[in-house]
Amino acid sequence: MAGAGDNGGWSSDGGAPDDLPDLPEEWGVIVIPDDLSELSDEVDAVRAELSLAGPPTRWQQLMRRPAARRLRRVAATVLRAPVLIISLAVLVTVASLFASAWPGPPRQPAAQRTATTTPERVMTLPALELLAADGQTVPLRGRLPAVILLTDGCACAALISDTIDAVGPEIAVIAVSTLTASASAAGTPSTGATPPANGKTVRMLNDPAGSLRTHLRLADPDTTAAAVLVDRGTNILRVVPRTLSIEDFRSDLARL
């Protein structure tokens, strides 16, 4: 064994110098022989393990060249970008699925469109000028609010009388017919101005062209009358296409 004088400061008992750390305990006791030929068995074992690998092939030699190594690095860099993009796309898709499946705050139900919530289109009384019995033109909007009765083909004397009795003094009753004055003389209701009945305004007017019925899109005359309730602002509040009784619109008179 080599002594302490020729081993660079190692102690004679095999310990390490003061300025060097000790060897790991798992290495065990390390003995360095004076004759290196004693390690020939270990040398042969290492050489046998190295000989099992065999010489490198041409492909291995080619891949070990610097150009091939640079090419591998470039290929790895090029492939890394698509992999990153695909990974991000997968993450976004998964996040979207979680977001759509995650229960959010309850939504308020949309209000259903019913006859009570959706206001009807407000129609207005047309600015027509009709004829009185004396041939003078009378503006249909001249006296509002009013109950207008279209009486063509109708024996409506009772309906007109009941309407006059039902309305207040501020509401006019206007009977409109397409018949001429000569036809009125033959027995149909009189057209033209009439004196107020019990302080109420009543008018009989003639509409030869049937313009009012056309504007209101009413059906052809039959044995019934049509009632139109108009407020002070010319808004048509109610249209009763066919009626013979005041009861069909009595409850609407309070809206005028």
Side-chain angles (χ1 to χ4, degrees), residues 112 207 231:
Q112 296 182 352
D207 182 15
D231 66 8

Side-chain angles (χ1 to χ4, degrees), residues 147-152 154 156 159 174-176 212-213 216 218-229 238-244 249:
V147 177
I148 302 176
L149 299 174
L150 285 75
T151 60
D152 287 323
C154 170
C156 297
L159 175 61
I174 303 174
V176 179
L212 181 58
R213 183 177 293 271
L216 298 178
L218 297 174
D220 294 336
D222 54 13
T223 58
T224 61
V228 183
L229 280 66
R238 176 82 188 277
V239 176
V240 183
R242 290 183 174 85
T243 182
L244 285 174
F249 54 90

